Amino acid sequence: MFCCEECPAKKGSEPLWLRESRLEECLGVICAERGVPAVGGIVVSSGGVVCEAVSGVRVRGGEVASASDKWHLGSCGKAMTATVAARLVERGVIEWSTRCGEVIGCATHESLADVTLLDVLSHTGGFAETPREVRRYVRETRDSPRAARREAARRILEKGPAYAPRSESRYSNDGYLVAGAMLEAAADCPFEALVRAEVAEPLGLDSLGFGPPPELGGHDSRGRHLRRDNPPAYSPAGCAHASLRDWAKFLHLHLRGLRGLADDYLPLAALQALHEPPVRPPRALGWIKACRPHMGGRVSQHSGTNTFFYANVWILPNRDRALLAVCNQGGPGGKRATDDVVAALISKFLQ
């Protein structure tokens, strides 16, 4: 464990172990109490990593988890998709106003004809549940992820919308699949390669990859070890994995941007716009904007799971902190464990 800058917690309602023990020990208690294999947490400030800790095992009954292990980020990876889009928009490769069918080159239902890149990334494109035939296709296809995304997007866009686009906001993985297909078509490059070129390489995320992490084993809600993931076509919606340190570099970029600290990576206004709901609150582009008084007010948040891992991320610009909590088990147990990790990080490093 690496730890520095620890802030004393306020005396209050937290249990004694949460207030007085080291973070690594806190995480060990969380693993035991929640019955999960492993958890991890990292705290970032605008100056860099404040603290990082991991506790538990890679697989039930197996080796101890390491700080360098990679964790599946689930839908927290949507922020990367939106960031890639912002980079391409800044270079004129695509526009926020680009229509889905126009760039993918496929027919669309008449009610979806005007749906844009901005709409699908902000969950206002008219999509809701994935059509059954699309679920079956992406599970069974042997096409490349890029070809599968284009075909799945075509099938999604041919269907009528679940609601009138831009009339409301409904969380949709399909919207991010369509967005990925749009970015691929505009840049003529597979989505996974775009993420490496636009995010991993410039930010130094050497561990970033897609699919099940190589070291840590995922566990379902019953605690069974299963090496599975979302279909590769859904990489834009949530198939990425990375080490805590590398994901912290991405959070560091966004934390600094929300604090008004300019960076050559993206113009400040472009980065901040990713955190503002463009159509319907609270959903922004890869983030959820919220207000949490105990976290300093305005925050950006997201959680994600592929049902075998759970990730929970918060950016607190008014407190100059970003928090990431992870668990290698999905379901309610993984959610509760990451909520506990976030509470521990707040208790130790925000009070």
Side-chain angles (χ1 to χ4, degrees), residues 28-233:
V29 172
I30 291 169
C31 281
E33 289 191 344
R34 295 302 185 188
V36 297
V39 294
I42 193 163
V43 181
V44 183
S45 74
S46 57
V49 171
V50 174
C51 185
E52 174 189 15
V54 170
S55 182
V57 291
R58 291 173 169 173
V59 178
R60 289 190 184 279
E63 298 176 343
V64 173
S66 163
S68 63
D69 286 348
K70 303 168 189 67
W71 301 79
H72 197 282
L73 302 172
S75 287
C76 292
K78 286 181 170 69
M80 283 190 177
T81 302
T83 301
V84 170
R87 294 259 292 181
L88 297 185
V89 167
E90 286 299 312
R91 295 207 302 272
V93 176
I94 194 170
E95 301 294 335
W96 294 120
S97 59
T98 299
R99 296 180 179 89
C100 302
E102 173 187 326
V103 67
I104 295 173
C106 65
T108 63
H109 188 278
E110 60 181 2
S111 297
L112 296 173
D114 292 330
V115 171
T116 68
L117 178 64
L118 187 65
D119 295 330
V120 294
L121 288 174
S122 60
H123 301 284
T124 59
F127 309 125
E129 292 295 321
T130 303
R132 182 178 302 175
E133 64 271 22
V134 174
R135 289 201 302 269
R136 183 183 305 114
Y137 166 72
V138 295
R139 285 198 306 266
E140 298 176 356
T141 183
R142 295 186 179 181
D143 291 341
S144 69
R146 180 177 178 179
R149 267 187 291 275
R150 187 184 186 282
E151 175 60 20
R154 183 190 67 78
R155 297 186 186 196
I156 291 167
L157 291 168
E158 283 183 345
K159 293 283 186 183
Y163 61 94
R166 292 180 289 278
S167 67
E168 58 181 284
S169 174
R170 294 192 196 178
Y171 190 82
S172 173
N173 289 316
D174 285 357
Y176 272 71
L177 180 149
V178 171
M182 295 176 71
L183 300 178
E184 288 178 318
D188 192 21
C189 180
F191 175 79
E192 293 80 3
L194 276 175
V195 174
R196 293 187 180 98
E198 301 295 338
V199 177
E201 292 175 9
L203 297 181
L205 278 59
D206 296 334
S207 67
L208 181 65
F210 294 89
E215 308 96 355
L216 284 167
H219 300 74
D220 67 10
S221 60
R222 296 168 60 184
R224 298 175 300 181
H225 172 225
L226 297 168
R227 188 171 174 77
R228 297 177 185 171
D229 196 11
N230 300 317

Side-chain angles (χ1 to χ4, degrees), residues 235-322:
S235 285
C239 294
H241 63 249
S243 68
L244 287 176
R245 280 287 175 132
D246 277 354
W247 186 244
K249 296 173 186 175
F250 182 78
L251 297 181
H252 180 252
L253 169 77
H254 283 265
L255 172 63
R256 285 177 58 84
L258 286 176
R259 287 181 59 78
L261 301 173
D263 192 284
D264 292 338
Y265 179 81
L266 262 179
L268 194 57
L271 193 146
Q272 291 178 344
L274 296 175
H275 295 262
E276 293 295 329
V279 183
R280 299 280 176 174
R283 296 188 179 100
L285 280 67
W287 299 97
I288 295 173
K289 182 180 179 180
C291 180
R292 297 290 186 272
H294 69 293
M295 294 181 173
R298 184 256 187 272
V299 300
S300 288
Q301 188 273 336
H302 214 288
S303 59
T305 179
N306 67 345
T307 72
F308 306 107
F309 286 80
Y310 209 99
N312 196 342
V313 61
W314 295 80
I315 299 181
L316 292 56
N318 295 334
R319 303 297 296 273
D320 190 24
R321 291 289 187 269

